[in-house]
Amino acid sequence: MDFKKLNNIGGLIIFAIAFYTYGSTIEPTTSFWDCGEYIATSYKLEVGHPPGAPTFLLFARVFSMFAAPENVAYMVNMMSALSSALTILFLFWTITYLAKKFVANEEMTTGNIIAILGSSTLGALAFTFSDTFWFSAVEGEVYGMSSFMTALVFWAILKWESIADEPHSNRWIIFIWFIVGISIGVHLLNLLAIPAIIFVYYFKKYSPTPKGMLIALVTSVAILGFVQMVLIPQIINIAAKFELFFTNGLGLPFNTGATVLGLLILAGISYALYYTQKNNKVLANTLTLSLTVLLLGYMTFGVILIRSNANPPIDENNPENMVNLLSYLNRDQYGSSPLVSGYFFDSPLDNQKPYLDGSPVYYPSEKTGKYEIADDRKNSLPNYAPEFNMIFPRMWSSKGNHKSAYKLWSNFKGRSITYRNPQSGKTEAIKKPTFGENISYFVNYQIWWMWGRYFAWNFIGRQNDLQGHGIDQTNLTNGNVMSGIPAIDQMYLGDLSHYPEDLKKNKAMNFYFFLPFILGLIGLYFQSKFDQNNALVVFLLFLFTGIAIAVFLNMYPYQPRERDYAFVGSFYAFAIWIGLAVIGIYKAFRDKISGPALAIGVTLLTLLAAPVLMATQNWDDHDRSNRYTAREIARNYLDSCEPNAILFTNGDNDTFPLWYLQEVEGYRTDVRVVNLMLLNTDWYIDQMARKAYEGEPIPISMKKDQYRQGTRDFVHVYPDSRLDQNVYYNIRDIIGYVTDDAKKVTLPNQTKVNVVPVKRFKIKVDKAKVLANG
């Protein structure tokens, strides 16, 4: 039997099964959440939400070119289906390579070949029909392409390992770093495969020792940190500093600094390549080439700059220069959370210095030809009292419902610390979480509820597709784990004899009876027994794309949606172990049963226990082939509007389907869609003040300098004693107070703000028209 030929044919067959599955179940139009935005911004290469996905946009634009406007969403969704099927293809070949390690020193007998290909088939199909991966495979989101690039680089490092001793094998290393570079323009999740890649290199080039493995681990984490925390933001940060120096310091035109930095980087790389090639420094040359292709891939973000300068209708954050692009890539608008040490939800401000200065925000001024400071951000950052800081802070959000949830998840009692309030002058006792309570929340919510539960959805079973928060009145009926084994499910969820009929009919109630999970544990056991090095490699992939993400994201309770898509890499790694169960069982029992018969029998039984079971359970709730909900809701919104109306929205699911209809299908472009969540930013007000297609600019009475960031970020209610506070005042008259800087007051943190003199407002409307509209 020609194993190589069978392996290639087998991979293509599994790819075809996956592509048929996803292609026949994709949504024919836009979906909810970010899909409408991604499809719209891809179609016209516009600028979506930070930190952008330019690689995804470019590929999606190519796919959209082969469709009429009403079919663009279908083609972008099909791109996700194709990317996801390619993920399955490379997963098949990855498992093949790892399964061969079990019989590395043996003849490739018929039984061995069947067992190896059976392993690949089992693992690849189990992941094909897994809940989370299938969900992302049928919609126009970045996660299908992100998974494909993760699978590609993981397969590529194994390919390198197989030929590492041959000439020019380092081309695979360079290829990996190029894919890593362009994957940054899809999603940063791909970077989490770096530690596993480093360990494959270590095991191939060095004899493993405890000390060497520790050094390899530290090195892999350092490389991951360098790419994510240093290379990605700091190149733009340095470019921004060059811009400020050359423009503000030397008086040169905008973009001079960025151009000079680009030329310096190009010259430095060129010299490094020349020097290392001439002096036969192979490792240094490979490292330089790897950095070069990584930067080439990263340069897809040039699309964001170019298109933002064209001022398209969707131009989020307006990142037209390196100074603004830095804020865009850093996701500044979303804020951040403490990771290593920091505050908790009730931490008071420091007595001596309650606020710190932040980094200034600049804008390019056409009047002065310089980058002017829009917001100096002095005294803008809260500085918490150090005695309330915690190591590894998990409970940090001060939002009311978050605080109550923190306490429930951690069984909070706290310990009191005396604190003198600098504003009231009074001494009060504040309860600070103990470290044990902090860890309790981390384990119960961030690890179990926001990762372990999702893991169980994919390999044990799922209650339904209703979002669950785990601590409120729906904690037993929404989003839990259910295996289909009554005795076990009742231990977790209580008496199920009176389970409501409507919940029983939920299509996402999927039972796997622990079978895929058990197969994964079997595969993990046998890989640890027969191939310890690669067991560690797969474990690192599993760890960094699962639990490590939960640690890094530091999620607060009551997330706006389920976040299982963020952890799909760990499910991918577990699918490898599911597949390896076949070769493991085969090797353990082949001395007692005929090899080919055993391999065939184990393959067939495990296929029934995992992918066949998963496919039959999951098909109905993952089949979106006749779903038009998001688009039709958006169409109904627009149809309810008079010509040239202004339609206010307040969130992703309100807004993005509308953007899709207007930008892609060109439907009701006379209506101006105004997202109130974005309307407190100067860049969005700028866009609303411009004409878009048939839609007229919205009427904005303030000038740009009056609403620029740092000018009127909020307006303080400061009652004027000269005005009757019981009377309703016309809002147009009140605007005079808001725009008059002489009316500013100073807040306790020394910030001067504009004021509103009353709390009661009125606006004139056409009474007859209001009544006519019901």
Side-chain angles (χ1 to χ4, degrees):
M1 300 176 71
D2 187 341
F3 174 77
K4 184 176 181 180
K5 184 176 181 180
L6 289 173
N7 185 40
N8 290 337
I9 294 173
L12 293 175
I13 291 173
I14 298 303
F15 164 79
I17 293 172
F19 190 47
Y20 170 77
T21 299
Y22 303 142
S24 61
T25 58
I26 60 170
E27 196 154 351
T29 184
T30 187
S31 308
F32 282 118
W33 295 107
D34 294 349
C35 299
E37 182 201 36
Y38 277 124
I39 295 167
T41 53
S42 298
Y43 183 57
K44 293 181 178 176
L45 289 183
E46 300 180 75
V47 181
H49 68 270
T55 303
F56 177 89
L57 298 188
L58 289 170
F59 278 105
R61 172 59 186 145
V62 172
F63 273 75
S64 70
M65 292 168 66
F66 297 95
E70 62 270 19
N71 293 321
V72 163
Y74 178 84
M75 289 301 294
V76 176
N77 294 345
M78 188 61 76
M79 182 186 75
S80 285
L82 177 60
S83 298
S84 300
L86 288 170
T87 304
I88 300 303
L89 173 66
F90 285 101
L91 174 59
F92 180 93
W93 286 334
T94 295
I95 298 174
T96 296
Y97 182 83
L98 295 173
K100 283 178 66 179
K101 296 279 189 177
F102 283 46
V103 291
N105 299 318
E106 302 176 15
E107 180 186 351
M108 289 297 285
T109 63
T110 300
N112 286 354
I113 292 175
I114 295 174
I116 292 169
L117 296 179
S119 293
S120 305
T121 301
L122 172 65
L125 289 181
F127 194 59
T128 297
F129 300 115
S130 62
D131 178 74
T132 299
F133 186 68
W134 195 344
F135 185 91
S136 297
V138 294
E139 63 180 17
E141 252 276 20
V142 297
Y143 297 104
M145 183 174 288
S146 175
S147 293
F148 163 58
M149 292 188 174
T150 300
L152 180 59
V153 297
F154 192 67
W155 169 83
I157 193 61
L158 298 179
K159 183 71 175 178
W160 167 83
E161 186 195 37
S162 68
I163 62 167
D165 298 325
E166 299 177 9
H168 310 299
S169 62
N170 283 351
R171 67 185 185 273
W172 285 102
I173 301 291
I174 297 165
F175 171 75
I176 287 169
W177 284 110
F178 175 67
I179 298 300
V180 168
I182 63 172
S183 74
I184 295 169
V186 180
H187 201 284
L188 293 178
L189 286 174
N190 308 83
L191 300 179
L192 297 171
I194 288 176
I197 290 171
I198 299 301
F199 264 82
V200 173
Y201 184 90
Y202 169 74
F203 286 135
K204 184 65 179 179
K205 292 293 186 180
Y206 302 93
S207 298
T209 63
K211 180 180 178 181
M213 292 171 65
L214 178 60
I215 293 173
L217 178 61
V218 172
T219 301
S220 65
V221 174
I223 293 173
L224 173 60
F226 171 76
V227 175
Q228 183 168 351
M229 304 292 189
V230 179
L231 187 66
I232 294 174
Q234 290 308 316
I235 284 183
I236 305 302
N237 184 30
I238 294 171
K241 292 185 184 305
F242 266 63
E243 273 291 283
L244 292 172
F245 173 72
F246 278 86
T247 301
N248 289 14
L250 302 181
L252 295 173
F254 294 124
N255 301 317
T256 302
T259 303
V260 170
L261 178 63
L263 292 173
L264 288 175
I265 292 174
L266 181 61
I269 288 176
S270 299
Y271 177 76
L273 289 174
Y274 167 76
Y275 177 82
T276 54
Q277 181 75 24
K278 181 180 179 181
N279 293 280
N280 198 32
K281 296 183 179 296
V282 178
L283 179 60
N285 184 260
T286 302
L287 290 174
T288 305
L289 279 171
S290 298
L291 178 62
T292 302
V293 297
L294 174 63
L295 292 175
L296 282 173
Y298 185 34
M299 284 177 64
T300 56
F301 277 89
V303 173
I304 301 294
L305 281 171
I306 293 168
R307 294 301 296 149
S308 181
N309 275 280
N311 290 327
I314 302 175
D315 187 11
E316 298 190 55
N317 292 67
N318 195 34
E320 293 187 351
N321 53 67
M322 289 297 179
V323 177
N324 292 351
L325 182 63
L326 178 63
S327 173
Y328 182 80
L329 292 178
N330 285 339
R331 298 164 56 93
D332 286 348
Q333 74 181 57
Y334 299 117
S336 61
S337 61
L339 289 178
V340 179
S341 67
Y343 54 91
F344 75 99
F345 53 81
D346 271 340
S347 287
L349 297 177
D350 182 65
N351 272 306
Q352 303 301 318
K353 193 170 179 58
Y355 295 95
L356 301 175
D357 294 342
S359 300
V361 176
Y362 293 88
Y363 72 95
S365 171
E366 294 182 0
K367 293 180 181 178
T368 64
K370 295 182 178 181
Y371 290 99
E372 301 291 347
I373 294 179
D375 185 0
D376 60 17
R377 301 190 70 201
K378 289 185 181 296
N379 297 310
S380 64
L381 302 179
N383 182 35
Y384 296 101
E387 62 267 32
F388 290 91
N389 280 356
M390 302 183 65
I391 299 297
F392 194 61
R394 300 284 98 187
M395 300 187 285
W396 55 272
S397 173
S398 59
K399 191 174 179 180
N401 63 338
H402 296 170
K403 291 166 62 173
S404 60
Y406 284 141
K407 294 177 179 181
L408 288 172
W409 280 105
S410 64
N411 193 23
F412 176 82
K413 293 182 175 55
R415 68 182 173 87
S416 295
I417 297 180
T418 302
Y419 169 77
R420 182 182 176 277
N421 190 315
Q423 293 182 337
S424 66
K426 295 180 179 180
T427 299
E428 54 189 82
I430 296 177
K431 285 193 172 182
K432 175 182 176 181
T434 65
F435 187 72
E437 290 166 347
N438 185 59
I439 295 300
S440 179
Y441 169 76
F442 168 64
V443 172
N444 292 334
Y445 181 77
Q446 293 184 338
I447 296 299
W448 163 245
W449 193 257
M450 296 306 290
W451 174 75
R453 179 173 60 108
Y454 299 146
F455 174 83
W457 281 2
N458 284 272
F459 304 114
I460 294 174
R462 183 173 181 175
Q463 183 184 33
N464 50 49
D465 58 0
L466 305 175
Q467 183 176 0
H469 299 292
I471 53 170
D472 52 21
Q473 64 272 21
T474 63
N475 66 332
L476 294 180
T477 58
N478 291 8
N480 285 288
V481 178
M482 286 184 73
S483 67
I485 304 174
I488 295 178
D489 294 338
Q490 288 181 16
M491 289 172 58
Y492 180 50
L493 297 173
D495 183 10
L496 300 176
S497 60
H498 301 294
Y499 207 69
E501 284 299 318
D502 61 330
L503 293 180
K504 289 181 181 179
K505 295 177 182 178
N506 188 292
K507 292 181 179 180
M509 180 181 280
N510 300 323
F511 298 150
Y512 313 136
F513 310 103
F514 281 87
L515 294 176
F517 176 69
I518 292 170
L519 287 173
L521 294 182
I522 292 172
L524 169 59
Y525 167 75
F526 282 117
Q527 191 181 32
S528 301
K529 182 178 180 180
F530 298 127
D531 187 15
Q532 291 183 353
N533 288 353
N534 282 309
L536 178 59
V537 168
V538 178
F539 176 75
L540 286 172
L541 182 64
F542 178 77
L543 177 69
F544 275 87
T545 56
I547 293 175
I549 294 178
V551 172
F552 180 77
L553 293 179
N554 200 2
M555 283 185 275
Y556 53 76
Y558 291 111
Q559 289 287 313
R561 63 178 293 192
E562 299 285 15
R563 301 296 190 185
D564 54 308
Y565 56 85
F567 304 99
V568 71
S570 62
F571 310 150
Y572 178 93
F574 195 78
I576 294 175
W577 285 327
I578 291 176
L580 294 178
V582 172
I583 188 72
I585 295 171
Y586 164 79
K587 187 169 182 179
F589 294 99
R590 64 182 174 179
D591 293 337
K592 301 176 182 179
I593 305 174
S594 170
L598 175 63
I600 293 172
V602 171
T603 299
L604 292 177
L605 284 174
T606 54
L607 285 174
L608 290 173
V612 172
L613 173 64
M614 295 165 75
T616 55
Q617 288 288 306
N618 290 353
W619 195 285
D620 57 349
D621 52 300
H622 289 81
D623 184 2
R624 305 194 207 175
S625 58
N626 196 34
R627 187 180 299 178
Y628 297 86
T629 311
R631 187 186 72 179
E632 295 312 308
I633 287 177
R635 192 186 297 274
N636 287 340
Y637 280 169
L638 292 171
D639 286 345
S640 72
C641 296
E642 295 289 335
N644 302 307
I646 298 175
L647 176 58
F648 293 100
T649 62
N650 198 44
D652 295 355
N653 284 334
D654 280 349
T655 308
F656 293 160
L658 293 166
W659 284 1
Y660 160 77
L661 265 182
Q662 292 188 320
E663 296 295 319
V664 179
E665 297 195 15
Y667 189 76
R668 289 302 307 273
T669 53
D670 61 299
V671 176
R672 292 309 303 266
V673 176
V674 179
N675 187 320
L676 294 175
M677 295 179 70
L678 301 178
L679 199 59
N680 61 352
T681 62
D682 53 3
W683 55 265
Y684 190 68
I685 297 173
D686 287 347
Q687 291 170 39
M688 293 298 98
R690 293 196 296 259
K691 182 179 175 67
Y693 308 113
E694 288 78 31
E696 295 298 325
I698 65 171
I700 297 172
S701 57
M702 289 188 187
K703 298 177 181 178
K704 174 70 183 239
D705 289 338
Q706 293 176 324
Y707 63 76
R708 194 186 302 280
Q709 178 179 345
T711 306
R712 287 168 179 80
D713 294 339
F714 68 93
V715 180
H716 192 70
V717 177
Y718 192 80
D720 190 326
S721 59
R722 295 169 296 177
L723 300 175
D724 186 346
Q725 297 298 315
N726 295 314
V727 173
Y728 288 88
Y729 291 86
N730 191 308
I731 192 71
R732 293 186 181 277
D733 298 331
I734 299 302
I735 291 297
Y737 276 81
V738 175
T739 57
D740 187 354
D741 286 338
K743 303 281 201 256
K744 280 186 175 181
V745 299
T746 303
L747 299 184
N749 66 346
Q750 304 303 310
T751 300
K752 298 196 74 173
V753 299
N754 291 80
V755 297
V756 174
V758 294
K759 291 185 178 181
R760 298 171 182 264
F761 313 115
K762 65 181 179 181
I763 186 168
K764 291 184 178 180
V765 297
D766 186 334
K767 179 179 177 180
K769 189 170 185 179
V770 171
L771 293 175
N773 286 334

